[in-house]
Amino acid sequence: MISDIVAEGINRGFSSVEVSRERSFISEYLRNGGNITGHLSKLQKVHCRAMYDYGDPVTFMLSGSDKRSVNNAFRLISGSFPSSGGKNFRKLIPRKADKVKIEIYDPSFDDIGTEDFTELSEKLDETILNFPGLKIRNAVFTKMNRKFHLINSRGFNAKYRKTIFTVSLNLSLNKGSIDLSDNRIFFKDLEPFKLVSRGYTLLDSLTDIPPVLSRFNDLVFSPESSSVMLKVFSKFFLPASREIAGKFNYPSVLNISDDPLMDFGAGSVPFDDEGVQKGVSNIIKKGVFESSLTDLRTSLEYGMKSTGNGFRRGGDQVSPGFTNLYIKPSVVSVNGILRDISEAILISLIKLISTENGNYLFSAYGYRYQNGERGEAVHFFISTTFQDFLLNIEMISKEIKFFYSGFNTGSPYLLLKSKKTGDKMVRI
């Protein structure tokens, strides 16, 4: 029982103790020729964070909660002293969590198995016949049931469970290949067939042909490419960069939020890894920077209230992170945007190449659009900064798509202006 770990920590002289347990049940189905083979794995992580009346917390992580392992872990951390003697955030640790109704669990999880993924695989083969030259080199189907339980010495005791279904494909066309995935809370919402169409569009845009650039160019970022930009620039929404992010007023059409309670959101949770419960955090609202995202430590450090964004991502320490980070859509369709401009480049795929002194260089692939009609595939480079990118957003579409990689990012189509700086280079 993880409650015993909390009691043991208090008995050893700590003022506050919190313990979380995460159990993950993962079934992975691999496609090998015409067969689907399944593999089940179970993972468990127990995290303990303990604090004295002052100073930084001390932590340990275990794969189980047997008494011997717990005693050994406490013996190690009890002999350590806080790295600083200042005020800590132990009094900010929550006492309870309210019940929140959020759609993040598929009750049919246990019933989904090899036959269901075999059927998906067969439909994928049927779909790909509509795209000449496109091949599925690899396909992996995964289902995960995550059970999270958090207890602390202030009386907090809450748990939740969450399911994620994933289809991961490696697609090839001509000499190019790409990895794509679709992540859903409910199995019935998986759309692997759209992955095939999306993969074909992306791979078909891979070319070495540069566009004929004008002095000024209209760039339309697809939801996939603009979500990449949002993820690359997401670090500016954390407290350490709030002075940079809040330096300017951005276009009034721009709204950026993080929503942990989004129904069916791949990043959704009822509370963060510290037990803090919050709703939507408006980072930028109508072009005005409102708030950074924080955990308990950074909220104390910067004199802010925690936004409930404290997570352990790939380590033992809690730090500010994201759930469902997205740019809010407008009421304008992408077709309406393309109709209103005589010529534009629609960016389907973008990759970060380098970063230096706040300048970001991207490699971009896409299509030329003239009078609303798609033309040839093009390849060029984009140089910009975090602030220049946001300041040059002119229009936002109503269509929005989400992409999950570590956390969930979503964006509509974005229209920006750029200036030619070379034969294959533009500056935003």
Side-chain angles (χ1 to χ4, degrees):
M1 294 286 292
I2 60 174
S3 57
D4 295 335
I5 303 178
V6 174
E8 181 66 22
I10 297 299
N11 289 337
R12 289 176 178 265
F14 289 102
S15 302
S16 297
V17 181
E18 66 174 22
V19 180
S20 66
R21 180 180 64 202
E22 180 181 346
R23 289 173 171 170
S24 297
F25 303 86
I26 305 168
S27 295
E28 187 175 72
Y29 300 84
L30 302 177
R31 169 172 153 157
N32 185 9
N35 299 319
I36 299 291
T37 57
H39 172 72
L40 173 65
S41 60
K42 298 179 182 180
L43 302 175
Q44 177 172 265
K45 294 180 181 179
V46 177
H47 292 274
C48 177
R49 183 168 67 174
M51 284 181 276
Y52 297 105
D53 289 338
Y54 58 91
D56 296 332
V58 287
T59 64
F60 64 78
M61 181 183 74
L62 301 171
S63 58
S65 55
D66 61 279
K67 190 170 183 179
R68 182 178 179 181
S69 297
V70 171
N71 286 338
N72 287 338
F74 269 119
R75 189 176 299 113
L76 290 173
I77 67 170
S78 296
S80 62
F81 293 94
S83 58
S84 65
K87 180 181 177 182
N88 61 35
F89 55 84
R90 70 179 189 86
K91 292 184 178 181
L92 299 178
I93 295 173
R95 297 180 182 273
K96 66 175 183 177
D98 296 327
K99 288 187 177 180
V100 176
K101 183 174 175 57
I102 176 175
E103 296 286 354
I104 57 172
Y105 180 76
D106 188 343
S108 69
F109 180 87
D110 291 332
D111 298 327
I112 305 300
T114 304
E115 291 184 1
D116 301 278
F117 290 108
T118 299
E119 184 178 347
L120 278 184
S121 179
E122 291 171 350
K123 289 183 178 179
L124 280 171
D125 288 335
E126 180 182 348
T127 303
I128 209 165
L129 294 176
N130 298 311
F131 300 91
L134 188 65
K135 296 180 180 179
I136 301 176
R137 297 174 60 181
N138 191 34
V140 180
F141 309 97
T142 307
K143 67 172 190 175
M144 180 181 74
N145 185 1
R146 180 195 184 210
K147 297 181 179 180
F148 187 83
H149 188 188
L150 178 65
I151 294 178
N152 68 37
S153 55
R154 303 192 78 194
F156 188 99
N157 187 344
K159 60 181 69 174
Y160 67 85
R161 55 184 180 176
K162 175 179 176 179
T163 53
I164 290 282
F165 294 87
T166 304
V167 176
S168 301
L169 300 179
N170 178 267
L171 299 169
S172 66
L173 180 68
N174 300 325
K175 295 182 180 180
S177 66
I178 193 168
D179 292 309
L180 298 176
S181 64
D182 185 29
N183 301 270
R184 303 287 175 168
I185 297 295
F186 287 81
F187 176 79
K188 65 179 179 61
D189 293 333
L190 280 172
E191 298 179 314
F193 323 114
K194 289 188 177 181
L195 281 182
V196 174
S197 175
R198 180 174 143 217
Y200 185 83
T201 300
L202 295 175
L203 289 168
D204 193 45
S205 70
L206 298 180
T207 180
D208 291 328
I209 300 175
V212 178
L213 296 170
S214 306
R215 183 181 177 190
F216 296 100
N217 298 270
D218 287 313
L219 305 180
V220 178
F221 286 76
S222 68
E224 182 153 7
S225 60
S226 52
S227 290
V228 170
M229 302 297 287
L230 181 61
K231 185 170 185 178
V232 168
F233 291 138
S234 62
K235 67 178 184 179
F236 290 95
F237 305 140
L238 301 179
S241 299
R242 64 177 183 164
E243 290 186 6
I244 298 173
K247 191 174 182 180
F248 298 100
N249 284 341
Y250 303 99
S252 59
V253 71
L254 180 62
N255 297 275
I256 300 178
S257 299
D258 186 81
D259 184 2
L261 303 181
M262 180 184 293
D263 282 337
F264 317 112
S268 296
V269 287
F271 51 86
D272 69 4
D273 289 357
E274 298 180 298
V276 179
Q277 253 179 333
K278 292 290 183 180
V280 177
S281 295
N282 293 316
I283 301 169
I284 295 176
K285 186 175 182 179
K286 295 183 179 179
V288 179
F289 182 82
E290 287 205 343
S291 177
S292 303
L293 300 183
T294 61
D295 61 354
L296 291 176
R297 179 185 58 81
T298 55
S299 65
L300 177 65
E301 181 180 352
Y302 290 92
M304 306 164 59
K305 288 186 177 181
S306 174
T307 60
N309 288 84
F311 296 100
R312 293 181 179 90
R313 296 258 167 85
D316 189 39
Q317 300 297 325
V318 174
S319 60
F322 303 93
T323 59
N324 301 297
L325 178 69
Y326 66 101
I327 298 174
K328 290 187 177 181
S330 72
V331 296
V332 182
S333 70
V334 64
N335 287 332
I337 292 175
L338 290 171
R339 277 198 307 267
D340 289 342
I341 49 181
S342 60
E343 187 174 338
I345 299 174
L346 176 61
I347 301 169
S348 57
L349 183 65
I350 195 164
K351 297 180 180 179
L352 178 64
I353 296 177
S354 64
T355 305
E356 185 176 357
N357 299 323
N359 289 293
Y360 293 76
L361 180 64
F362 297 89
S363 176
Y365 296 88
Y367 299 92
R368 179 178 295 282
Y369 265 75
Q370 290 181 301
N371 300 316
E373 297 291 330
R374 195 177 90 172
E376 72 276 12
V378 294
H379 174 222
F380 62 107
F381 298 91
I382 298 173
S383 175
T384 190
T385 66
F386 159 75
Q387 290 171 326
D388 286 343
F389 183 81
L390 296 189
L391 287 168
N392 280 280
I393 294 175
E394 294 194 344
M395 296 184 72
I396 296 174
S397 81
K398 66 181 181 181
E399 301 89 354
I400 184 170
K401 295 180 182 178
F402 284 85
F403 304 89
Y404 185 84
S405 177
F407 59 90
N408 214 21
T409 53
S411 178
Y413 291 85
L414 306 179
L415 172 65
L416 290 87
K417 284 241 186 271
S418 67
K419 183 179 181 180
K420 177 181 178 181
T421 59
D423 290 338
K424 294 186 67 172
M425 176 78 72
V426 299
R427 175 77 188 184
I428 295 177

